[in-house]
Amino acid sequence: MNWSERVSAWANPSKNPELAHVFAQQAQYLPTLWLLGKTGAGKSSLIQALTGDSKIDIGNGFQPCTKTAKVYDYPQDKALLRFLDTRGLSEADYDARDDIAACEDRSHALLIVMKADDPEQSDVLKALKQIRASGRINNYLVVHTGILQVPDPIQRQQALAHNQAQVEAVLAKSLPQVAVDFMADDPTISGVAALKQALMALLPILAQFSESLLQANQEEKNFEHLKKEVLWYAGAAAASDMLPAVGLVAVPSIQGKMLHSLANQYAVAWDKQRLTEFAAALGASFGVQYLTRLGLRQLAKLIPVYGQTIGTATAASLSFATTYALGRAASKYLYHQTQGETVDASELQSLYEQALSALLPKPTNHAHDTPQDAPNSDQP
Protein backbone atom coordinates (compact mmCIF):
# COMPACT_ATOMS: atom_id res chain seq x y z
CA MET A 1 0.00 0.00 0.00
CA ASN A 2 1.54 3.31 -1.10
CA TRP A 3 1.39 6.61 0.79
CA SER A 4 -1.77 7.95 -0.88
CA GLU A 5 -3.59 4.65 -0.28
CA ARG A 6 -2.62 4.71 3.38
CA VAL A 7 -3.84 8.27 3.81
CA SER A 8 -7.09 7.44 2.04
CA ALA A 9 -7.55 4.40 4.30
CA TRP A 10 -6.98 6.64 7.35
CA ALA A 11 -9.81 8.97 6.37
CA ASN A 12 -12.06 6.09 5.24
CA PRO A 13 -11.55 3.49 7.99
CA SER A 14 -13.41 0.27 8.47
CA LYS A 15 -14.97 -0.44 11.84
CA ASN A 16 -12.13 -0.79 14.33
CA PRO A 17 -13.04 -2.81 17.45
CA GLU A 18 -9.70 -1.88 19.01
CA LEU A 19 -11.12 1.58 19.72
CA ALA A 20 -14.05 0.24 21.72
CA HIS A 21 -12.10 0.61 24.97
CA VAL A 22 -11.32 4.24 24.09
CA PHE A 23 -14.97 5.13 23.70
CA ALA A 24 -15.72 3.33 26.96
CA GLN A 25 -12.94 5.36 28.57
CA GLN A 26 -14.58 8.55 27.31
CA ALA A 27 -17.92 7.62 28.87
CA GLN A 28 -16.18 6.96 32.18
CA TYR A 29 -14.27 10.24 32.27
CA LEU A 30 -16.73 12.77 30.87
CA PRO A 31 -16.14 16.37 32.02
CA THR A 32 -18.29 16.48 35.14
CA LEU A 33 -19.88 19.35 37.02
CA TRP A 34 -20.88 18.38 40.55
CA LEU A 35 -23.85 20.36 41.88
CA LEU A 36 -24.02 20.54 45.66
CA GLY A 37 -26.98 22.19 47.33
CA LYS A 38 -30.23 21.70 49.16
CA THR A 39 -33.32 20.44 47.41
CA GLY A 40 -34.99 23.36 45.64
CA ALA A 41 -31.80 25.43 45.40
CA GLY A 42 -32.11 25.60 41.61
CA LYS A 43 -29.79 22.82 40.39
CA SER A 44 -32.15 21.49 37.72
CA SER A 45 -32.83 25.04 36.54
CA LEU A 46 -29.08 25.57 36.25
CA ILE A 47 -28.73 22.52 34.01
CA GLN A 48 -31.66 23.73 31.90
CA ALA A 49 -29.97 27.11 31.47
CA LEU A 50 -26.74 25.51 30.27
CA THR A 51 -28.15 22.82 27.98
CA GLY A 52 -31.31 24.52 26.77
CA ASP A 53 -33.29 21.39 27.65
CA SER A 54 -36.44 22.69 29.31
CA LYS A 55 -37.67 19.15 30.00
CA ILE A 56 -34.93 18.39 32.51
CA ASP A 57 -36.09 17.42 35.95
CA ILE A 58 -35.23 14.70 38.44
CA GLY A 59 -37.56 12.28 36.70
CA ASN A 60 -36.28 12.92 33.18
CA GLY A 61 -32.78 11.92 32.18
CA PHE A 62 -31.23 11.58 35.62
CA GLN A 63 -29.84 8.15 36.54
CA PRO A 64 -28.84 6.97 40.05
CA CYS A 65 -25.10 6.59 40.63
CA THR A 66 -25.03 6.15 44.43
CA LYS A 67 -27.67 5.77 47.15
CA THR A 68 -29.03 9.26 46.55
CA ALA A 69 -26.78 10.99 44.01
CA LYS A 70 -27.86 11.12 40.37
CA VAL A 71 -26.12 11.88 37.07
CA TYR A 72 -27.39 13.56 33.93
CA ASP A 73 -25.42 13.06 30.70
CA TYR A 74 -25.77 15.58 27.89
CA PRO A 75 -26.54 14.95 25.07
CA GLN A 76 -28.19 11.61 25.78
CA ASP A 77 -27.03 9.83 22.61
CA LYS A 78 -23.34 10.83 22.49
CA ALA A 79 -22.64 12.41 25.85
CA LEU A 80 -20.15 15.29 26.04
CA LEU A 81 -20.80 16.56 29.54
CA ARG A 82 -22.02 15.11 32.83
CA PHE A 83 -23.88 16.79 35.67
CA LEU A 84 -23.76 15.17 39.09
CA ASP A 85 -26.44 16.03 41.65
CA THR A 86 -25.99 15.10 45.31
CA ARG A 87 -29.50 14.92 46.70
CA GLY A 88 -30.96 14.54 50.15
CA LEU A 89 -28.58 16.79 52.06
CA SER A 90 -31.45 18.06 54.19
CA GLU A 91 -33.16 14.73 54.76
CA ALA A 92 -33.45 13.53 58.35
CA ASP A 93 -31.09 10.77 59.49
CA TYR A 94 -29.18 10.83 56.21
CA ASP A 95 -25.40 10.53 56.31
CA ALA A 96 -24.04 11.80 53.00
CA ARG A 97 -20.40 10.86 53.62
CA ASP A 98 -20.31 7.79 51.36
CA ASP A 99 -22.10 9.55 48.52
CA ILE A 100 -19.85 12.60 48.79
CA ALA A 101 -16.73 10.44 48.67
CA ALA A 102 -18.03 8.73 45.52
CA CYS A 103 -18.85 12.05 43.86
CA GLU A 104 -15.42 13.53 44.61
CA ASP A 105 -13.68 10.84 42.58
CA ARG A 106 -15.63 11.58 39.41
CA SER A 107 -15.92 15.39 39.40
CA HIS A 108 -13.89 18.11 37.67
CA ALA A 109 -15.47 21.09 39.39
CA LEU A 110 -17.89 21.71 42.26
CA LEU A 111 -20.79 24.16 42.00
CA ILE A 112 -22.10 25.19 45.40
CA VAL A 113 -25.72 26.18 44.75
CA MET A 114 -27.50 28.27 47.42
CA LYS A 115 -30.72 30.26 47.35
CA ALA A 116 -30.22 33.90 48.23
CA ASP A 117 -33.14 33.96 50.69
CA ASP A 118 -32.03 30.83 52.58
CA PRO A 119 -29.36 31.53 55.23
CA GLU A 120 -29.75 28.03 56.73
CA GLN A 121 -27.01 26.12 54.90
CA SER A 122 -25.72 23.88 57.69
CA ASP A 123 -26.10 20.66 55.68
CA VAL A 124 -24.20 22.13 52.75
CA LEU A 125 -21.49 23.44 55.05
CA LYS A 126 -21.17 20.03 56.69
CA ALA A 127 -20.65 18.43 53.29
CA LEU A 128 -18.06 21.07 52.38
CA LYS A 129 -16.06 20.26 55.51
CA GLN A 130 -15.74 16.67 54.32
CA ILE A 131 -14.81 17.81 50.82
CA ARG A 132 -12.12 20.14 52.13
CA ALA A 133 -10.66 17.39 54.33
CA SER A 134 -10.28 15.02 51.38
CA GLY A 135 -8.49 17.61 49.22
CA ARG A 136 -9.70 16.04 45.95
CA ILE A 137 -11.63 19.04 44.61
CA ASN A 138 -9.69 22.12 43.47
CA ASN A 139 -12.17 23.98 41.28
CA TYR A 140 -15.12 25.70 42.96
CA LEU A 141 -17.84 28.13 41.96
CA VAL A 142 -20.50 29.51 44.31
CA VAL A 143 -23.83 30.03 42.54
CA HIS A 144 -26.31 32.25 44.40
CA THR A 145 -29.79 31.57 42.98
CA GLY A 146 -33.21 33.23 43.23
CA ILE A 147 -31.68 36.66 43.81
CA LEU A 148 -34.85 38.54 42.80
CA GLN A 149 -36.72 36.83 45.62
CA VAL A 150 -34.89 39.30 47.88
CA PRO A 151 -36.36 42.49 46.36
CA ASP A 152 -34.49 45.07 48.43
CA PRO A 153 -31.04 45.59 46.85
CA ILE A 154 -29.28 46.21 50.17
CA GLN A 155 -30.81 43.17 51.83
CA ARG A 156 -29.99 41.14 48.72
CA GLN A 157 -26.30 42.02 48.86
CA GLN A 158 -26.25 41.26 52.58
CA ALA A 159 -27.84 37.85 51.98
CA LEU A 160 -25.32 36.97 49.27
CA ALA A 161 -22.42 38.15 51.40
CA HIS A 162 -23.65 36.07 54.35
CA ASN A 163 -23.87 32.81 52.38
CA GLN A 164 -20.58 33.49 50.58
CA ALA A 165 -18.84 34.12 53.91
CA GLN A 166 -20.19 30.86 55.34
CA VAL A 167 -18.76 28.85 52.45
CA GLU A 168 -15.39 30.62 52.39
CA ALA A 169 -15.01 30.17 56.15
CA VAL A 170 -15.39 26.40 55.78
CA LEU A 171 -13.08 26.08 52.76
CA ALA A 172 -10.65 28.67 54.13
CA LYS A 173 -10.18 30.54 50.88
CA SER A 174 -11.78 33.13 48.63
CA LEU A 175 -14.04 31.63 45.98
CA PRO A 176 -15.42 32.92 42.68
CA GLN A 177 -19.16 33.54 42.69
CA VAL A 178 -22.07 34.45 40.44
CA ALA A 179 -25.58 35.64 41.28
CA VAL A 180 -28.44 34.41 39.10
CA ASP A 181 -32.21 34.23 38.88
CA PHE A 182 -33.46 31.66 36.40
CA MET A 183 -37.00 33.06 36.62
CA ALA A 184 -35.99 36.55 35.47
CA ASP A 185 -37.61 37.59 32.18
CA ASP A 186 -34.85 40.09 31.39
CA PRO A 187 -31.62 38.26 30.43
CA THR A 188 -29.58 41.36 31.31
CA ILE A 189 -30.39 40.88 34.99
CA SER A 190 -30.73 37.09 35.13
CA GLY A 191 -26.97 36.55 35.57
CA VAL A 192 -27.00 33.50 33.26
CA ALA A 193 -24.42 35.05 30.90
CA ALA A 194 -22.01 35.57 33.80
CA LEU A 195 -22.66 32.00 34.97
CA LYS A 196 -21.72 30.62 31.55
CA GLN A 197 -18.55 32.71 31.44
CA ALA A 198 -17.49 31.51 34.89
CA LEU A 199 -18.14 27.89 33.98
CA MET A 200 -16.16 28.18 30.75
CA ALA A 201 -13.12 28.96 32.88
CA LEU A 202 -13.67 25.65 34.68
CA LEU A 203 -14.63 23.53 31.64
CA PRO A 204 -13.82 25.13 28.25
CA ILE A 205 -16.09 22.63 26.46
CA LEU A 206 -19.07 24.59 27.80
CA ALA A 207 -18.24 27.38 25.37
CA GLN A 208 -19.37 25.10 22.56
CA PHE A 209 -22.88 24.68 23.99
CA SER A 210 -23.85 28.32 23.44
CA GLU A 211 -26.52 28.70 20.79
CA SER A 212 -26.54 32.49 21.06
CA LEU A 213 -23.82 33.10 18.47
CA LEU A 214 -25.17 34.31 15.15
CA GLN A 215 -24.28 32.09 12.22
CA ALA A 216 -23.04 34.36 9.47
CA ASN A 217 -23.70 31.89 6.65
CA GLN A 218 -25.17 28.54 5.76
CA GLU A 219 -21.90 26.69 6.38
CA GLU A 220 -21.89 27.80 10.01
CA LYS A 221 -25.52 26.81 10.38
CA ASN A 222 -24.68 23.37 8.99
CA PHE A 223 -21.81 22.97 11.44
CA GLU A 224 -24.14 23.68 14.36
CA HIS A 225 -25.82 20.37 13.52
CA LEU A 226 -22.47 18.56 13.39
CA LYS A 227 -20.76 20.21 16.35
CA LYS A 228 -21.88 17.71 18.97
CA GLU A 229 -20.57 14.81 16.89
CA VAL A 230 -17.20 16.53 16.44
CA LEU A 231 -17.06 17.25 20.16
CA TRP A 232 -17.86 13.62 20.90
CA TYR A 233 -14.88 12.44 18.81
CA ALA A 234 -12.73 15.10 20.49
CA GLY A 235 -13.78 13.73 23.87
CA ALA A 236 -12.83 10.23 22.79
CA ALA A 237 -9.40 11.46 21.68
CA ALA A 238 -8.90 13.14 25.04
CA ALA A 239 -9.98 9.99 26.88
CA SER A 240 -7.39 7.95 25.01
CA ASP A 241 -4.69 10.24 26.38
CA MET A 242 -5.57 9.33 29.97
CA LEU A 243 -3.45 6.19 29.53
CA PRO A 244 0.31 6.27 28.75
CA ALA A 245 1.23 5.74 25.08
CA VAL A 246 -2.35 4.83 24.03
CA GLY A 247 -3.07 8.22 22.47
CA LEU A 248 -0.16 7.98 20.05
CA VAL A 249 -2.07 5.24 18.19
CA ALA A 250 -5.68 5.94 19.14
CA VAL A 251 -5.85 9.70 18.49
CA PRO A 252 -5.06 9.53 14.75
CA SER A 253 -7.48 6.58 14.39
CA ILE A 254 -10.25 8.50 16.11
CA GLN A 255 -9.60 11.55 13.96
CA GLY A 256 -9.69 9.40 10.84
CA LYS A 257 -13.07 8.02 11.88
CA MET A 258 -14.29 11.55 12.52
CA LEU A 259 -13.26 12.71 9.03
CA HIS A 260 -14.99 9.69 7.53
CA SER A 261 -18.16 10.42 9.50
CA LEU A 262 -18.17 14.08 8.44
CA ALA A 263 -17.70 13.10 4.81
CA ASN A 264 -20.71 10.80 5.08
CA GLN A 265 -22.76 13.69 6.46
CA TYR A 266 -21.93 15.72 3.35
CA ALA A 267 -22.31 12.71 1.01
CA VAL A 268 -18.76 12.94 -0.29
CA ALA A 269 -15.74 10.65 -0.01
CA TRP A 270 -12.16 11.37 0.90
CA ASP A 271 -10.07 10.51 -2.13
CA LYS A 272 -6.45 11.33 -2.89
CA GLN A 273 -7.34 14.65 -4.54
CA ARG A 274 -9.53 15.88 -1.71
CA LEU A 275 -7.11 14.84 1.02
CA THR A 276 -4.22 16.52 -0.77
CA GLU A 277 -6.23 19.67 -1.34
CA PHE A 278 -7.45 19.78 2.28
CA ALA A 279 -3.93 19.32 3.67
CA ALA A 280 -2.58 21.98 1.31
CA ALA A 281 -5.32 24.40 2.32
CA LEU A 282 -4.43 23.98 5.99
CA GLY A 283 -0.84 24.88 5.12
CA ALA A 284 2.50 23.14 5.01
CA SER A 285 3.19 23.89 8.67
CA PHE A 286 0.02 22.08 9.80
CA GLY A 287 1.51 18.59 9.44
CA VAL A 288 4.65 19.52 11.34
CA GLN A 289 2.67 21.19 14.12
CA TYR A 290 0.27 18.25 14.32
CA LEU A 291 2.97 15.60 14.61
CA THR A 292 4.99 17.71 17.03
CA ARG A 293 2.02 18.24 19.34
CA LEU A 294 1.10 14.56 19.17
CA GLY A 295 4.65 13.32 19.80
CA LEU A 296 5.55 15.75 22.57
CA ARG A 297 2.36 15.24 24.54
CA GLN A 298 2.80 11.46 24.44
CA LEU A 299 6.45 11.79 25.51
CA ALA A 300 5.42 14.02 28.41
CA LYS A 301 3.02 11.34 29.64
CA LEU A 302 5.86 8.86 29.99
CA ILE A 303 7.92 11.06 32.29
CA PRO A 304 7.55 9.77 35.88
CA VAL A 305 5.39 11.90 38.20
CA TYR A 306 5.09 14.74 35.67
CA GLY A 307 3.57 12.45 33.06
CA GLN A 308 1.04 11.09 35.49
CA THR A 309 -0.22 14.54 36.50
CA ILE A 310 0.49 17.60 34.38
CA GLY A 311 1.64 15.61 31.36
CA THR A 312 -1.50 13.49 31.12
CA ALA A 313 -3.82 16.45 31.68
CA THR A 314 -2.00 18.50 29.04
CA ALA A 315 -2.06 15.61 26.56
CA ALA A 316 -5.80 15.13 26.98
CA SER A 317 -6.47 18.86 26.56
CA LEU A 318 -4.36 19.07 23.40
CA SER A 319 -5.93 15.96 21.89
CA PHE A 320 -9.39 17.39 22.55
CA ALA A 321 -8.54 20.77 21.03
CA THR A 322 -6.68 19.48 17.96
CA THR A 323 -9.39 16.93 17.15
CA TYR A 324 -12.12 19.54 17.41
CA ALA A 325 -10.16 22.04 15.31
CA LEU A 326 -9.50 19.41 12.64
CA GLY A 327 -13.19 18.54 12.55
CA ARG A 328 -14.21 22.20 12.31
CA ALA A 329 -11.86 22.83 9.39
CA ALA A 330 -12.89 19.60 7.64
CA SER A 331 -16.57 20.49 7.95
CA LYS A 332 -15.99 23.82 6.22
CA TYR A 333 -13.91 22.19 3.50
CA LEU A 334 -16.51 19.50 2.85
CA TYR A 335 -19.34 22.02 2.73
CA HIS A 336 -17.59 23.97 -0.03
CA GLN A 337 -16.94 20.71 -1.85
CA THR A 338 -20.68 20.07 -2.01
CA GLN A 339 -21.14 23.57 -3.45
CA GLY A 340 -18.43 23.08 -6.07
CA GLU A 341 -16.45 25.91 -4.50
CA THR A 342 -12.75 26.35 -3.74
CA VAL A 343 -11.84 26.99 -0.10
CA ASP A 344 -9.67 30.00 0.63
CA ALA A 345 -6.56 28.59 2.33
CA SER A 346 -6.04 31.55 4.67
CA GLU A 347 -9.67 31.37 5.75
CA LEU A 348 -9.42 27.65 6.51
CA GLN A 349 -6.16 28.11 8.43
CA SER A 350 -7.68 30.95 10.45
CA LEU A 351 -10.74 28.84 11.26
CA TYR A 352 -8.54 25.96 12.43
CA GLU A 353 -6.47 28.20 14.70
CA GLN A 354 -9.56 29.88 16.14
CA ALA A 355 -11.16 26.53 16.93
CA LEU A 356 -7.91 25.29 18.47
CA SER A 357 -7.31 28.34 20.68
CA ALA A 358 -10.93 28.34 21.89
CA LEU A 359 -10.42 24.97 23.58
CA LEU A 360 -6.82 25.08 24.73
CA PRO A 361 -6.54 25.29 28.56
CA LYS A 362 -6.58 28.79 29.99
CA PRO A 363 -5.59 29.88 33.51
CA THR A 364 -8.54 30.06 35.88
CA ASN A 365 -9.12 33.61 37.08
CA HIS A 366 -11.31 35.08 39.76
CA ALA A 367 -12.99 37.71 37.69
CA HIS A 368 -16.27 36.76 39.32
CA ASP A 369 -15.14 37.02 42.93
CA THR A 370 -17.95 39.52 43.48
CA PRO A 371 -21.51 39.07 42.30
CA GLN A 372 -21.27 41.66 39.54
CA ASP A 373 -24.43 40.46 37.84
CA ALA A 374 -26.69 40.90 40.83
CA PRO A 375 -29.25 43.61 40.09
CA ASN A 376 -28.09 47.00 41.30
CA SER A 377 -30.02 49.45 43.41
CA ASP A 378 -31.68 50.98 40.34
CA GLN A 379 -33.33 47.70 39.41
CA PRO A 380 -36.46 46.30 41.01
Side-chain angles (χ1 to χ4, degrees):
M1 184 182 295
N2 59 34
W3 178 85
S4 62
E5 291 173 334
R6 290 179 180 178
V7 174
S8 181
W10 168 68
N12 298 280
S14 59
K15 184 177 180 180
N16 186 355
E18 294 180 1
L19 292 179
H21 72 288
V22 173
F23 296 124
Q25 178 90 349
Q26 178 199 18
Q28 183 178 358
Y29 294 102
L30 283 176
T32 300
L33 287 174
W34 178 12
L35 281 64
L36 183 71
K38 295 169 63 175
T39 301
K43 292 174 287 182
S44 293
S45 296
L46 188 153
I47 299 174
Q48 289 177 10
L50 294 179
T51 64
D53 188 350
S54 61
K55 298 179 181 180
I56 291 175
D57 55 43
I58 299 307
N60 181 14
F62 281 83
Q63 300 296 326
C65 63
T66 69
K67 287 185 295 185
T68 63
K70 297 178 182 292
V71 296
Y72 177 83
D73 289 350
Y74 179 81
Q76 293 289 302
D77 52 349
K78 289 184 177 180
L80 304 171
L81 181 67
R82 177 168 293 153
F83 296 92
L84 181 58
D85 180 14
T86 308
R87 302 188 58 76
L89 287 181
S90 299
E91 294 179 4
D93 302 322
Y94 168 58
D95 188 341
R97 285 180 294 180
D98 291 342
D99 285 344
I100 290 173
C103 292
E104 286 177 321
D105 290 336
R106 63 183 76 185
S107 303
H108 295 82
L110 176 63
L111 307 188
I112 306 165
V113 186
M114 300 186 295
K115 290 194 69 174
D117 63 352
D118 184 4
E120 171 39 48
Q121 299 290 337
S122 58
D123 294 302
V124 174
L125 299 176
K126 180 180 178 181
L128 289 175
K129 290 179 182 178
Q130 179 183 341
I131 293 169
R132 178 191 175 188
S134 72
R136 293 191 181 97
I137 300 296
N138 296 314
N139 297 318
Y140 297 90
L141 177 66
V142 182
V143 183
H144 301 282
T145 62
I147 55 176
L148 294 181
Q149 295 181 31
V150 184
D152 182 82
I154 297 178
Q155 293 180 354
R156 182 188 305 133
Q157 293 297 333
Q158 291 174 341
L160 301 187
H162 173 74
N163 280 344
Q164 184 76 15
Q166 291 189 89
V167 172
E168 293 183 348
V170 170
L171 295 176
K173 62 180 178 180
S174 176
L175 298 175
Q177 60 178 297
V178 291
V180 299
D181 196 305
F182 299 115
M183 301 302 293
D185 295 328
D186 186 349
T188 63
I189 64 173
S190 69
V192 173
L195 172 63
K196 291 181 178 180
Q197 288 295 325
L199 290 176
M200 287 177 202
L202 298 178
L203 291 178
I205 190 177
L206 285 169
Q208 304 306 318
F209 291 142
S210 175
E211 301 296 337
S212 62
L213 298 178
L214 296 176
Q215 289 91 27
N217 51 52
Q218 186 61 44
E219 188 279 325
E220 292 182 3
K221 293 179 181 178
N222 282 5
F223 181 69
E224 285 302 312
H225 297 288
L226 300 173
K227 180 186 290 186
K228 290 175 183 176
E229 181 171 356
V230 173
L231 287 168
W232 185 78
Y233 278 105
S240 72
D241 267 326
M242 299 302 292
L243 298 174
V246 171
L248 189 60
V249 175
V251 171
S253 298
I254 291 168
Q255 292 173 343
K257 281 184 170 294
M258 176 186 67
L259 292 179
H260 177 67
S261 177
L262 290 174
N264 285 339
Q265 296 281 358
Y266 284 99
V268 298
W270 288 106
D271 54 22
K272 179 180 178 180
Q273 179 180 348
R274 286 197 176 99
L275 285 168
T276 302
E277 185 177 80
F278 178 56
L282 283 178
S285 62
F286 165 75
V288 175
Q289 292 177 4
Y290 175 85
L291 293 174
T292 300
R293 284 169 173 154
L294 179 63
L296 288 180
R297 66 178 179 249
Q298 299 307 320
L299 178 61
K301 287 164 54 180
L302 300 177
I303 300 174
V305 182
Y306 175 88
Q308 296 174 23
T309 54
I310 300 175
T312 297
T314 301
S317 298
L318 286 173
S319 289
F320 187 97
T322 54
T323 302
Y324 175 80
L326 182 65
R328 180 64 188 97
S331 180
K332 181 174 181 63
Y333 172 81
L334 291 168
Y335 171 80
H336 286 288
Q337 283 286 297
T338 64
Q339 304 301 307
E341 300 170 347
T342 301
V343 183
D344 181 79
S346 62
E347 185 178 350
L348 196 66
Q349 293 167 24
S350 176
L351 182 65
Y352 176 86
E353 292 297 333
Q354 289 174 10
L356 184 68
S357 61
L359 287 173
L360 287 176
K362 298 177 179 62
T364 301
N365 59 62
H366 293 264
H368 301 283
D369 280 352
T370 57
Q372 297 294 327
D373 287 80
N376 59 40
S377 58
D378 294 329
Q379 296 167 329

